[in-house]
Amino acid sequence: RSATRRGLVLDSCRVEAHTRTEEHQQAQDHHEAQDHLDTEDDGHAEGHVQAQGHHQSQDHGEAEAHEHAEADRQAQVHEHPEIDRQAALGVQYHGMWSDQTPAMRAKVLDQLVANGSEWVRIDVSWAMIEPKHQQYDMQWGVPFVDTVLKEVEDRGLKAMVTFWLTPDWASYGKGERYAPRYPTAYGRAAGWAAKRWGHTVDAWEMWNEQNHPDFFTTADPVAYTKMLCSAYTEVKKADTSPVVYGGLQYNDAAFVKKTYTAGAKGCFDILATHPYSAPSDFSPSRDGGAPWGVTRVRDVRAVMVAQGDAAKPIWFTELGWSTGQIPDPQPWQRAVSEATQADFLEETVALTRSTYPYVKGIIWFRERDRTGGNPYEDGYGLMRADLTPKPALARLKAVASS
């Protein structure tokens, strides 16, 4: 998939770039962060030992998971009756983006509610709300998040916040998609967000596609695990809502294994993937080979079972099909018709609910088409750019009520 397919770049025109050059400030930040790191290292030492033990037996565990899948499911149902609940439905909502006017946000949200969406997934930029170290933007950034989340809450929708994008001061000028130098800075900010918005946020997703350098520059599973565990600890101090292991680009079982080895067990309540098809016009039930597509979620599931996390659900926090045709497309740029897009939405829901009952949420990417200049990249919406509905929007309503 092209890195620009989703254009997940929050508008930062209102965020003041801050490059720290004063020696005193650097020393102060380092001292504070190091105190947090010492605590973090102590807290996760046992987790690392446990993960290493799991790692040695994971090959056997994966084979056993496939062999005894139905027995495992029955055991879960006995201990966790909620496993039989149907997967919830939601839509990626770019209400924080600068091209969304208040009137547009209202119309989009009203359409989503009227057509059966239970959830919206909203990306919130850490760089926007904390542009300077421990100085939150109470003039614009934070109040803007207040407004958007209130609009969602007023309509009875549940909100999943994807918390990502590193401030310049935390990456030391390397860019928003770099890991912060001190992972506890990310955890502290996530905890601050949970304290302020926990009453309106129903799930906290930690980063977006951290297994790919387009979205997490180093794609480092150890660095991500430190951020995830720090965030989990801090969020739980303020909010009981689930913490979501950030949506992986495709079903990247190898990355998941590495994060377990690094100590990720116990640092999340839900694990998320983005199981886009490849080639991109394949149906959800067609297996394009690991790691692509809905059917390969079983690979991630096998890792979780081998690590003793069979009771934890998986969510698809992004997936979809574009209707934007381009000439001479590559296999990953093949669009589908609007009618096929609707059919694939219905097929995804039916397949997931019947075959992968441990997948408890499906978030469609996305609410409307963009006008960014690349028809394929822009064409994933349930609505066209002018907010007129595609057939897939009505199909969402049909499957939500079925």
Side-chain angles (χ1 to χ4, degrees), residues 83-144:
I83 201 73
D84 266 355
R85 294 176 186 163
Q86 290 187 324
L89 302 178
V91 179
Q92 176 74 47
Y93 171 57
H94 289 132
M96 297 298 304
W97 288 25
S98 61
D99 62 349
Q100 296 264 26
T101 65
M104 183 181 295
R105 293 199 305 267
K107 186 171 183 179
V108 167
L109 289 173
D110 289 344
Q111 287 270 51
L112 295 181
V113 171
N115 287 280
S117 183
E118 304 167 66
W119 286 77
V120 289
R121 178 179 183 249
I122 306 170
D123 42 345
V124 171
S125 168
W126 174 24
M128 182 182 73
I129 67 168
E130 193 186 4
K132 296 182 180 180
H133 181 233
Q134 294 191 338
Q135 295 183 35
Y136 291 88
D137 181 4
M138 305 305 294
Q139 298 301 310
W140 181 79
V142 170
F144 185 36

Side-chain angles (χ1 to χ4, degrees), residues 362-384:
I362 302 170
I363 306 291
W364 185 269
F365 189 85
R366 63 185 167 234
E367 81 277 41
R368 69 180 184 96
D369 287 349
R370 317 292 303 176
T371 54
N374 183 322
Y376 178 79
E377 304 287 347
D378 295 339
Y380 281 82
L382 295 173
M383 291 173 264
R384 304 178 188 93

